[in-house]
Amino acid sequence: VQLQASGGGLAQAGGSLRLSCTASGSDASINGMAWYRHIPGRTRELVASLTNGGKTYYADSVKGRFTISRDGAKNTLYLQMDSLKPEDTTIYYCNAYTTANLYAYWGQGTLVTVSS
């Protein structure tokens, strides 16, 4: 499975961006997909996840501002980011996970920069 992320860029505080992650290939053991972001000096932080069954998870820091969704027909995962804050500035990664491996597949990072 290969994941291709896009949609990062520059936004002003309070603005919006939408990240996309298109998957190619298949792995029947994939249980869901997620977005992570890089935190300097730490491992990647889980931002949001979406199971194949439609269950979502959001980090407290983005709850109410970010929305994760999926278009099955396009094999694409989205992260709608609204009410952006400067502290949201970092590199975002999409991920596909299985029961055995939460870090099974990664897309390349996409940079989000939020100016104050």
Side-chain angles (χ1 to χ4, degrees):
V1 175
Q2 292 187 330
L3 304 178
Q4 180 70 40
S6 61
L10 177 64
Q12 290 188 332
S16 299
L17 286 173
R18 188 177 78 160
L19 305 183
S20 300
C21 176
T22 301
S24 59
S26 63
D27 180 344
S29 64
I30 289 175
N31 287 345
M33 297 183 71
W35 289 98
Y36 285 75
R37 63 186 179 186
H38 173 68
I39 302 297
R42 294 171 49 189
T43 59
R44 294 175 183 176
E45 173 189 54
L46 176 61
V47 175
S49 65
L50 176 62
T51 70
N52 289 345
K55 184 175 180 180
T56 58
Y57 163 85
Y58 294 96
D60 287 342
S61 57
V62 307
K63 201 170 294 182
R65 301 188 298 121
F66 291 8
T67 304
I68 190 170
S69 63
R70 177 177 58 219
D71 185 332
K74 296 182 179 180
N75 289 327
T76 300
L77 180 76
Y78 300 101
L79 185 68
Q80 178 67 40
M81 304 186 294
D82 299 318
S83 302
L84 282 164
K85 303 176 180 180
E87 51 262 43
D88 294 319
T89 296
T90 189
I91 300 171
Y92 288 73
Y93 299 89
C94 63
N95 156 275
Y97 60 89
T98 68
T99 300
N101 188 356
L102 290 177
Y103 314 114
Y105 302 101
W106 292 98
Q108 88 289 3
T110 185
L111 177 63
V112 170
T113 303
V114 183
S115 62
S116 57

